[in-house]
Amino acid sequence: MKELKIIGLSLLVFGTANAQDAEQALKAIDAEQYQKAKTILKSLIASDSDEGRNYFLLGDVYLKQTEQDSAAMYFNKGVKVKHDPEYNTIGLGQIDLNKGNTSAAEAKFKAVKDELRRKDVEQLIYIGRAYIESDNPDYKKAIAVLNQAIEKDSQSAQAYLSLGDAYVGDKNYNEAYKAYRTASNLDSSLLRADIQLGVITKNTGAAFPEAVAAFNKVIAKDANYGPAYRELAETYYLWGAYEPKKYNENIKKALEYYEKYMTLTDYSLNSRMRHADFLVLAGDYKALEEEANKMQQLDKVNPRILRYLAYSAYENGNYEQSIKAMTDFISKVEPKRVIARDYLYLGLAEMASVISEDEQGNTIITDQTVFDKAITDIKASAEKDIEITNQFNAIGKKLFGQKLYGPASVVFEVATTNPDNRNLFYDNFYLAYSIYFDHLNKSPEAQAENVEQLQKADVALDYVIKLSPDAQDAFLYKARVNQRIKTDESYQKMVEAYNEYIRIVAEKGDAEVAKQKANLIEAYSNAASYYAVTEKEKAIEYYNKVLELDPNDGYAKGELERLQ
């Protein structure tokens, strides 16, 4: 595909300089200095408009920054030039993959492969990367293409590096590690391979110290290699989350390393956005608000900035501003660009904006319509990504603390739909707890129609008891819930649960019995009422237990007289 040319000495020198400049652009891309890379590549295109590879590299930078229209513009120009236009066909193929048009993409890739010479390897690597980096990745096809590249050139460190990325995407970490190690052995200056070895180490059994050591080795080779500092930042963030006692210490280190990363890349809008993403993870919302305002000064129309403004405004107590920013963001982007966290923040801001206190200090909802929408948006976040339910425990408990039991039960119910939710034990308990107290607040008519919710509470408590057979409060509330269901079966469950509650408390000794006196009186009295119909002697025994706890209990005295 590359034409044989007879060129003069001056053109040869120019061509060599051009190649060197392209290598500088590639180094800038690898170092995540995208603005620098774009400047170099635009200069190269201006000086030699016939070299197609430069158009492709520039378009690829725009793809990395999710600016697909700009990428397509350069790819479409590049396919029309004299030299190496096929790279741009690969770029257009990746855009087809992004759009879900696999057949069009594969037709383009086939056209490129059919024209390759025996030693052409780089094009195959970029086809493999297109499969990896697409919005709709196909890692197995990437692995197949990259192995073809390695068959052509078994010494291509870049082919092995990309093969490692493909194996990571395919969750085959052993093969990924081998590929990265081979790439590093073939080219010791290929720092990205060493970085990826550290990333695999970090993600294997939370081996954070080993990962930090790996990234520091990269810095020892090149103290100005920015991605190493970004990986250190992300490692310390994860380490802090994994060991809560060290959270503050590690988060401080994480933020410092990320600031270092920023100084070594560039302060372009896209770099600031990546920084903002990290600030969201780290929970530094004051810094996020500052960054978002700086980004808005650079670009007043980019909708993604609205996301950061919405997040930071909510966390800083500016609820109306948060609602406006997030509503504007959702209206301006494609639906697939809206993530679960966006709906969660919108729902939280809406909820906070209409929760207030009356003169007596009671929690009130000032706008039920807005509050209902808030619940809908919080549920929508879980529909987008069920893993976000790990954050629902704090939301539900806050609502519960505000005595908004009905809304709390909705949040906890959604949370319990995720079988991998790390708060599943407590979310099930609070689900039942919320349903029960919400039931008590209803009118007699509404209570009669609330049996289905009470049954959900009963099931939730069964889950709690399965995980913790001696959870006395779970048995106490299971008894209370079943008493409210008011069927023969539920009364039987009530008695069984009260009996288990009584047993657990008694086994803990006198101190716990004294502490649980009121609840024990309730348990003995209600169970005795059931036994008064089915087992008279048991009823007499339990009413006497009540009198042992409170000799002046008039109800127990009266029932004993009646039974005897």
Side-chain angles (χ1 to χ4, degrees):
M1 300 186 79
K2 296 179 181 177
E3 297 179 6
L4 180 63
K5 303 183 289 293
I6 300 174
I7 52 178
L9 182 60
S10 63
L11 289 178
L12 179 62
V13 172
F14 177 80
T16 303
N18 189 292
Q20 289 173 342
D21 284 341
E23 285 304 308
Q24 290 302 311
L26 285 169
K27 287 182 180 179
I29 292 169
D30 179 59
E32 299 171 15
Q33 297 170 332
Y34 297 128
Q35 198 61 36
K36 179 180 178 181
K38 287 194 286 189
T39 299
I40 294 170
L41 291 165
K42 287 178 180 178
S43 177
L44 290 175
I45 289 169
S47 62
D48 181 6
S49 60
D50 278 335
E51 178 47 59
R53 185 168 175 264
N54 293 334
Y55 289 91
F56 166 73
L57 292 175
L58 181 55
D60 193 47
V61 173
Y62 278 110
L63 275 186
K64 291 180 190 303
Q65 297 181 316
T66 66
E67 297 181 39
Q68 189 163 285
D69 290 344
S70 295
M73 179 184 74
Y74 283 104
F75 293 149
N76 282 315
K77 288 181 178 179
V79 292
K80 299 173 185 175
V81 303
K82 184 182 292 186
H83 307 307
D84 302 324
E86 75 278 4
Y87 286 94
N88 295 281
T89 303
I90 297 169
L92 291 171
Q94 183 175 334
I95 290 176
D96 285 333
L97 289 177
N98 289 348
K99 295 177 178 178
N101 193 345
T102 305
S103 59
E106 292 185 346
K108 289 180 174 67
F109 297 153
K110 183 178 184 302
V112 171
K113 288 193 280 188
D114 287 347
E115 295 296 319
L116 291 180
R117 298 181 306 179
R118 186 170 59 87
K119 292 185 178 180
D120 288 337
V121 171
E122 189 178 51
Q123 294 90 332
L124 289 173
I125 294 173
Y126 279 116
I127 290 173
R129 295 219 63 82
Y131 280 119
I132 294 168
E133 295 174 1
S134 163
D135 292 346
N136 304 292
D138 190 326
Y139 300 113
K140 294 194 183 302
K141 286 183 180 177
I143 291 166
V145 173
L146 291 164
N147 277 321
Q148 291 172 16
I150 290 167
E151 285 175 14
K152 282 192 169 191
D153 182 2
S154 62
Q155 301 301 301
S156 173
Q158 288 289 344
Y160 278 105
L161 175 65
S162 292
L163 182 62
D165 292 345
Y167 276 126
V168 167
D170 203 40
K171 295 181 170 54
N172 189 338
Y173 301 111
N174 288 335
E175 290 301 320
Y177 196 90
K178 291 177 187 176
Y180 290 137
R181 187 173 56 196
T182 301
S184 181
N185 290 338
L186 289 170
D187 183 356
S188 60
S189 69
L190 192 58
L191 300 181
R192 179 69 64 170
D194 295 332
I195 287 288
Q196 292 306 111
L197 286 169
V199 170
I200 290 179
T201 299
K202 173 185 68 180
N203 293 334
T204 304
F208 303 118
E210 294 82 355
V212 166
F215 300 137
N216 280 328
K217 283 183 181 179
V218 174
I219 291 170
K221 288 184 179 181
D222 183 354
N224 293 317
Y225 189 63
Y229 294 98
R230 175 177 51 75
E231 289 297 342
L232 277 169
E234 293 177 3
T235 300
Y236 275 109
Y237 161 73
L238 291 172
W239 197 349
Y242 188 78
E243 294 185 26
K245 290 181 180 178
K246 293 184 177 181
Y247 181 81
N248 291 334
E249 173 190 344
N250 285 332
I251 275 297
K252 182 181 178 183
K253 288 181 181 178
L255 291 168
E256 288 172 354
Y257 278 121
Y258 212 100
E259 291 300 329
K260 179 69 174 176
Y261 164 73
M262 290 292 291
T263 65
L264 292 170
T265 52
D266 54 50
Y267 281 91
S268 65
L269 181 64
N270 282 281
S271 292
R272 288 185 181 278
M273 284 184 175
R274 190 161 188 169
H275 184 211
D277 287 335
F278 186 77
L279 291 173
V280 171
L281 285 177
D284 191 341
Y285 293 102
K286 288 185 178 178
L288 178 64
E289 190 165 20
E290 290 176 11
E291 190 68 279
N293 286 322
K294 289 174 183 175
M295 287 191 288
Q296 200 166 45
Q297 291 171 12
L298 289 172
D299 188 340
K300 294 185 181 298
V301 298
N302 192 310
R304 191 168 156 191
I305 297 169
L306 294 168
R307 169 185 281 157
Y308 304 122
L309 287 171
Y311 289 3
S312 57
Y314 169 77
E315 295 291 348
N316 295 325
N318 302 317
Y319 305 126
E320 295 296 342
Q321 182 183 343
S322 178
I323 294 167
K324 184 180 186 309
M326 186 53 71
T327 302
D328 288 349
F329 170 77
I330 291 173
S331 70
K332 291 180 179 180
V333 298
E334 299 175 68
K336 68 178 182 179
R337 300 292 181 193
V338 182
I339 62 175
R341 191 186 294 267
D342 298 334
Y343 283 114
L344 180 60
Y345 266 98
L346 178 58
L348 291 175
E350 289 167 334
M351 185 180 293
S353 73
V354 295
I355 291 178
S356 185
E357 287 188 358
D358 62 18
E359 294 178 356
Q360 288 74 41
N362 299 314
T363 301
I364 58 171
I365 297 171
T366 58
D367 189 325
Q368 190 64 46
T369 301
V370 172
F371 190 87
D372 291 344
K373 184 178 183 301
I375 294 294
T376 299
D377 287 326
I378 290 170
K379 291 168 74 174
S381 73
E383 291 170 5
K384 268 281 183 184
D385 181 4
I386 194 66
E387 288 307 308
I388 205 164
T389 54
N390 283 299
Q391 300 177 38
F392 280 22
N393 182 266
I395 301 167
K397 285 170 75 173
K398 184 176 181 180
L399 290 169
F400 187 91
Q402 293 170 316
K403 299 184 179 180
L404 297 171
Y405 302 121
S409 70
V410 173
V411 171
F412 286 122
E413 185 174 357
V414 176
T416 59
T417 62
N418 178 9
D420 298 320
N421 183 349
R422 59 176 174 265
N423 301 308
L424 205 53
F425 176 87
Y426 292 105
D427 285 346
N428 271 283
F429 181 78
Y430 270 97
L431 170 59
Y433 212 28
S434 302
I435 289 173
Y436 175 74
F437 281 102
D438 183 51
H439 182 85
L440 295 185
N441 288 340
K442 294 181 181 297
S443 67
E445 295 78 11
Q447 286 183 350
E449 298 174 357
N450 198 46
V451 171
E452 186 176 343
Q453 283 296 100
L454 291 172
Q455 289 169 338
K456 288 180 183 178
D458 186 44
V459 171
L461 289 166
D462 282 341
Y463 180 86
V464 173
I465 291 166
K466 179 181 177 182
L467 294 181
S468 182
D470 288 332
Q472 66 189 44
D473 285 350
F475 283 108
L476 178 63
Y477 277 93
K478 182 175 176 64
R480 289 172 175 175
V481 164
N482 276 284
Q483 183 186 30
R484 296 281 171 171
I485 293 175
K486 298 181 180 178
T487 65
D488 290 344
E489 181 184 0
S490 72
Y491 287 134
Q492 177 67 37
K493 287 183 178 181
M494 175 196 75
V495 170
E496 292 170 356
Y498 274 135
N499 283 336
E500 285 300 298
Y501 170 76
I502 291 166
R503 175 188 65 78
I504 294 167
V505 172
E507 288 176 355
K508 290 182 178 180
D510 292 342
E512 186 65 19
V513 168
K515 184 178 176 182
Q516 296 291 322
K517 177 180 173 180
N519 292 332
L520 282 171
I521 289 172
E522 170 198 325
Y524 282 124
S525 295
N526 287 334
S529 295
Y530 176 83
Y531 285 130
V533 178
T534 62
E535 195 174 340
K536 183 178 176 182
E537 292 304 316
K538 191 72 173 177
I540 292 170
E541 175 192 343
Y542 272 23
Y543 282 130
N544 280 318
K545 291 286 187 183
V546 173
L547 293 175
E548 288 176 16
L549 291 166
D550 181 5
N552 297 316
D553 190 296
Y555 177 75
K557 286 181 178 179
E559 288 300 299
L560 276 174
E561 288 178 5
R562 185 176 66 81
L563 290 171
Q564 292 172 340

